[in-house]
Amino acid sequence: MSHEDDEKEIEATKAPLMDHLIELRSRLIKALIAFGIAFVVCFFFAKTIYNVLTWPFVWVAGPENSKFIYTGLLEYFVVQLKLAMFGGAFIAFPVIATQIYMFVAPGLYRHEKQAFLPYLVATPIFFLLGALVVYGLVWPMLARFSLGMQQFGGEGQATIELLPKVEDYLTLMMKLIFAFGIAFQLPVILTLLGRVGIITSQQLKEKRRYFIVGAFVLAAILTPPDVLSQLSLALPLMLLYEGSIWSVRFVEKKAAADKAKEAASAAAKPAE
């Protein structure tokens, strides 16, 4: 489809401001309904979901040494609400993202629509990968580190035992999941920046050594103070950075091929 056809397609979708506001309201209502349904379902299974989240700790400490406490009357209930909101937002994200895309899509050219969709799909996938790294790798290391700091009572020593609060446990896990999920958006962000021409694969290659240092600094801030936990974030980040270089290079080659094709098409028109 030519640029003129794209312009006609966009012109055909133009509507008064009030129509846009009505459509925006409709999209927001659908997104809120999806979140509400997911919230209710997650709240119904909140205790089961919380038990699933405690598996890494139970696996390290053993069922006989796994005891969680709450000190406020409504603390565990509030934790279930937070868990339902967190799970509801994650489950409803595809619907919410689809509604956002359907609202902005009429104002995009065809090639912009095609460019936007892969990033829309890749964002939750990479976020889920980050969450899985936390659940399967970082959290067992954190649990092992925390349990290793306990002090068993003896002569002249008090007993210092780890009794995690249900709210503290969930809050820390959510923080790490968000941190790793956002960090794992690196290929999506860099590829998008490469597609719009803000960065190039050559620039990413030249800045590689700075990123390696930054990855270890970020890992030292976000993870427990032991080498294994820091490597669990730093190494995936470096691999994602290398993948980003490859992805940006692929985008550059595709953009160059498309430009050459358009030039050839424009040169052939007068001859027709």
Side-chain angles (χ1 to χ4, degrees):
M1 181 177 287
S2 65
H3 181 74
E4 291 78 7
D5 293 332
D6 281 339
E7 292 284 357
K8 291 179 181 178
E9 184 178 347
I10 292 178
E11 287 291 334
T13 60
K14 284 187 175 181
L17 177 61
M18 187 57 66
D19 290 347
H20 285 300
L21 292 177
I22 293 173
E23 184 184 2
L24 177 61
R25 184 185 65 177
S26 174
R27 301 296 181 192
L28 289 175
I29 290 174
K30 291 177 181 177
L32 287 174
I33 290 174
F35 171 75
I37 294 174
F39 173 84
V40 171
V41 172
C42 288
F43 183 75
F44 185 78
F45 293 101
K47 291 184 179 180
T48 302
I49 296 173
Y50 195 90
N51 287 331
V52 172
L53 294 179
T54 62
W55 283 351
F57 186 90
V58 175
W59 177 68
V60 174
E64 67 282 357
N65 298 318
S66 301
K67 183 179 180 181
F68 293 79
I69 64 170
Y70 59 94
T71 57
L73 293 178
L74 297 176
E75 181 179 340
Y76 191 35
F77 175 74
V78 173
V79 166
Q80 293 179 49
L81 287 176
K82 289 182 178 180
L83 189 59
M85 291 181 64
F86 181 72
F90 187 81
I91 294 174
F93 177 81
V95 177
I96 296 172
T98 300
Q99 293 302 315
I100 294 173
Y101 174 77
M102 292 177 69
F103 179 72
V104 301
L108 300 175
Y109 293 116
R110 180 177 294 271
H111 68 279
E112 291 175 335
K113 295 178 185 178
Q114 295 172 348
F116 186 71
L117 276 175
Y119 301 103
L120 191 64
V121 174
T123 297
I125 292 176
F126 278 94
F127 189 94
L128 181 59
L129 287 176
L132 290 176
V133 170
V134 171
Y135 186 81
L137 184 61
V138 176
W139 202 256
M141 292 181 182
L142 175 61
R144 192 172 290 109
F145 176 82
S146 301
L147 289 168
M149 296 181 67
Q150 294 183 111
Q151 177 178 290
F152 299 99
E155 187 176 350
Q157 287 186 337
T159 299
I160 302 176
E161 185 179 1
L162 175 64
L163 294 174
K165 291 181 62 179
V166 290
E167 184 172 9
D168 292 345
Y169 185 92
L170 178 64
T171 299
L172 182 56
M173 176 166 276
M174 287 173 61
K175 285 181 179 178
L176 285 176
I177 287 176
F178 272 118
F180 275 68
I182 293 172
F184 271 58
Q185 300 302 314
L186 183 68
V188 180
I189 296 172
L190 292 181
T191 304
L192 183 59
L193 292 176
R195 189 178 186 91
V196 298
I198 295 177
I199 61 173
T200 64
S201 58
Q202 185 60 35
Q203 289 175 334
L204 293 178
K205 286 181 182 179
E206 294 172 353
K207 303 299 182 182
R208 181 188 282 119
R209 61 182 180 273
Y210 300 110
F211 178 81
I212 292 174
V213 175
F216 277 97
V217 171
L218 182 64
I221 295 173
L222 296 178
T223 61
D226 64 274
V227 176
L228 289 178
S229 297
Q230 293 172 10
L231 288 175
S232 68
L233 177 58
L235 290 179
L237 281 177
M238 288 188 287
L239 290 174
L240 290 170
Y241 189 81
E242 294 298 324
S244 300
I245 295 175
W246 176 86
S247 180
V248 172
R249 187 186 301 120
F250 174 79
V251 166
E252 290 171 344
K253 289 181 178 178
K254 189 175 184 302
D258 291 342
K259 187 178 293 185
K261 186 176 180 181
E262 289 177 4
S265 177
K269 279 186 178 180
E272 295 176 0

